[in-house]
Amino acid sequence: MNSRGRRKKSFKRILKHKIFRKRNIFSIFSFVLGIVLIILMLLTNIFPIKYYLLITGFVFFFNILGILLINVHKKVILKIIGVVILIFSFVSNIVALYYINTTNEFINKSFVSNNKYNKNIYYVITKKSNNLKESDISGVVATYKETANLSEALEKLSDKHSVLEEQFIDLGAMFDSLNNDSTKFMLIDKASFEIVFLIDSNLRREDYQIIYDLDIFTKKKISDGTNSKKFNIFIGLENFAGLMDFNMIASINMDTYQVLLTLIPRNYYIEVPEKGGRRDKLGFMNIYGADTNKKAIEKLFDIKIDYNLILNTKNLVNIVDYVGGVSFCCDNDFTTTYTLGKDEFVNREDKLHIVEGCQQIDGIDVVNVVRDNENFFKEDSNNLEKIVVAIFKKLISTDSIIHYSETLNTLESLYETDISKEIVTSFLKNILNNSDKWQITTQIVSGEERFEKVHLSNMTDLVINPTYDTIDQASTKIKGLLNK
């Protein structure tokens, strides 16, 4: 038998040897895990090619090295080193598989909109002193003309109760009709009901009683954004009443690695789309329809907004509380304009006071700092940036990473968006591949405070009348960034 035949026969004997099989079954399993890891990374599609090469090199190098070392004859120390390498490789693959699989599941669930309908809540209100209940609803019901989906709400109410509509063009006049007993019942959307008590201090919520509520569902209009590398995102923070407390445009250019954040005061007094040129606060726009904020901003800045990202106040509170609060450092003392609870506007006198320096604040405090309109929108204020950075640091802390799955599940409830999975993965891949190139800048549009009629009624409130030079400048910067 020639030497080649002897080597072939010897190799076959080694493969059949029980000791070889026992030594290598673990290494083969670790190698397979590594292959699964690489495939899952490809499916996740957020990692640049250099990451695939790095992981592939890691999997092959350490597994092959471990296999070679544990099969060295009569070298115990090398066998031990080989076992340690294989254990390290195995554990590393398991950990990486967990994090990548959890991330992949999060992206798949979070950027495919399952909620295809907007919900608008309507109340039937009566004076508490009337001592009426749902079964008493009949006859004339007062309504306010300008609210969204009013006809659907009235139709749904009529299916159960025999009612006639008396429509008002002024919100204050509608409440007067209830207060002077001209009407016994009022059909009003939740947001308008909350707004009245914010604007008119003479009206007290405790004088009124909700005796019936209706949920009105309308089909959601999905943004027709088709841009994958250059686009505008409307980012809003919606409170419990459906009012938009925070409004921002994020302009992103993945070719030039730039993000421009344009902040707009919620009290900005601008034109309401499709209302004959009449104006209202930006924060009130959602009352006229779910996309009215976005449409109003598009017209104001003469731009197209491609996608929406709507944050939820209640869940933002939950996330900040989940991470144990955040450290907020302020350059000066200030007191917030209002206070906001998870489910209601609370006592106006009970305002949050922020002191100069660093302090630990919880979820409710974070919301009140972010939504503040008197201190936040000064030129030298960077409260939002500090809050976002503080939350981000907590989310990437050791404790949050250890509880990674729970952290992502908490984040999933924070927002609704029509940004596609493909856009998100492309954006993340670009950031990972060019992390040192990305630049984020901010701009704030300004104005002057004055009292104006709001909610398309005769009720007046403090607003910010835009300085249109700052709007023109901001619009030019947005268009310039996206046209590069």
Side-chain angles (χ1 to χ4, degrees), residues 3 8 47 53 70 72 89 187 193 199 204 211 233 281 287 295 326 445 456:
S3 59
K8 187 175 181 181
F47 299 98
L53 295 175
I70 65 174
V72 174
S89 176
L187 178 65
F193 185 62
I199 298 173
R204 301 188 309 162
I211 59 173
I233 304 173
K281 287 185 179 185
I287 293 169
K295 292 176 181 177
V326 296
V445 291
L456 305 184

Side-chain angles (χ1 to χ4, degrees), residues 210-318:
I210 300 170
I211 59 173
Y212 187 55
D213 61 82
L214 310 90
D215 293 338
I216 307 300
F217 294 92
T218 54
K219 195 167 183 179
K220 184 175 290 186
K221 294 180 180 178
I222 304 299
S223 295
D224 59 351
T226 55
N227 296 325
S228 60
K229 289 191 174 182
K230 302 176 183 181
F231 47 85
N232 290 313
I233 304 173
F234 168 64
I235 301 177
L237 177 63
E238 187 176 80
N239 67 29
F240 71 95
L243 306 177
M244 206 65 74
D245 276 335
F246 176 79
N247 298 268
M248 181 171 73
I249 308 165
S251 306
I252 299 172
N253 187 329
M254 285 198 270
D255 287 336
T256 59
Y257 317 112
Q258 290 177 289
V259 177
L260 174 62
L261 304 179
T262 304
L263 297 124
I264 314 160
R266 62 186 170 86
N267 282 351
Y268 232 36
Y269 195 61
I270 61 176
E271 186 176 327
V272 184
E274 302 173 5
K275 294 296 181 181
R278 290 181 292 172
R279 298 198 291 169
D280 200 1
K281 287 185 179 185
L282 178 59
F284 289 178
M285 294 286 179
N286 259 25
I287 293 169
Y288 313 112
D291 290 328
T292 312
N293 285 70
K294 188 189 84 167
K295 292 176 181 177
I297 291 172
E298 283 183 324
K299 185 169 184 179
L300 182 67
F301 289 91
D302 187 30
I303 59 172
K304 181 179 185 298
I305 294 178
D306 302 280
Y307 307 104
N308 290 313
L309 178 63
I310 308 301
L311 307 175
N312 179 284
T313 295
K314 187 172 184 177
N315 290 327
L316 176 61
V317 172
N318 292 339

Side-chain angles (χ1 to χ4, degrees), residues 289-356:
D291 290 328
T292 312
N293 285 70
K294 188 189 84 167
K295 292 176 181 177
I297 291 172
E298 283 183 324
K299 185 169 184 179
L300 182 67
F301 289 91
D302 187 30
I303 59 172
K304 181 179 185 298
I305 294 178
D306 302 280
Y307 307 104
N308 290 313
L309 178 63
I310 308 301
L311 307 175
N312 179 284
T313 295
K314 187 172 184 177
N315 290 327
L316 176 61
V317 172
N318 292 339
I319 284 173
V320 175
D321 290 341
Y322 166 76
V323 297
V326 296
S327 177
F328 175 59
C329 299
C330 190
D331 299 329
N332 56 286
D333 289 12
F334 71 89
T335 300
T336 58
T337 314
Y338 298 108
T339 53
L340 182 72
K342 276 188 180 182
D343 301 304
E344 63 177 346
F345 292 105
V346 292
N347 186 352
R348 284 188 177 191
E349 302 303 320
D350 184 23
K351 299 174 184 177
L352 172 66
H353 183 69
I354 295 293
V355 298
E356 182 180 352

Side-chain angles (χ1 to χ4, degrees), residues 140-183:
V140 177
V141 173
T143 64
Y144 178 49
K145 177 185 177 182
E146 300 295 352
T147 48
N149 311 123
L150 175 60
S151 58
E152 291 88 344
L154 187 64
E155 182 179 351
K156 189 170 183 179
L157 179 62
S158 299
D159 289 341
K160 193 171 182 180
H161 300 278
S162 178
V163 295
L164 296 172
E165 179 188 21
E166 182 179 357
Q167 194 172 90
F168 287 80
I169 61 172
D170 181 71
L171 195 61
M174 184 171 73
F175 268 82
D176 288 340
S177 75
L178 195 67
N179 294 331
N180 61 27
D181 294 319
S182 297
T183 54

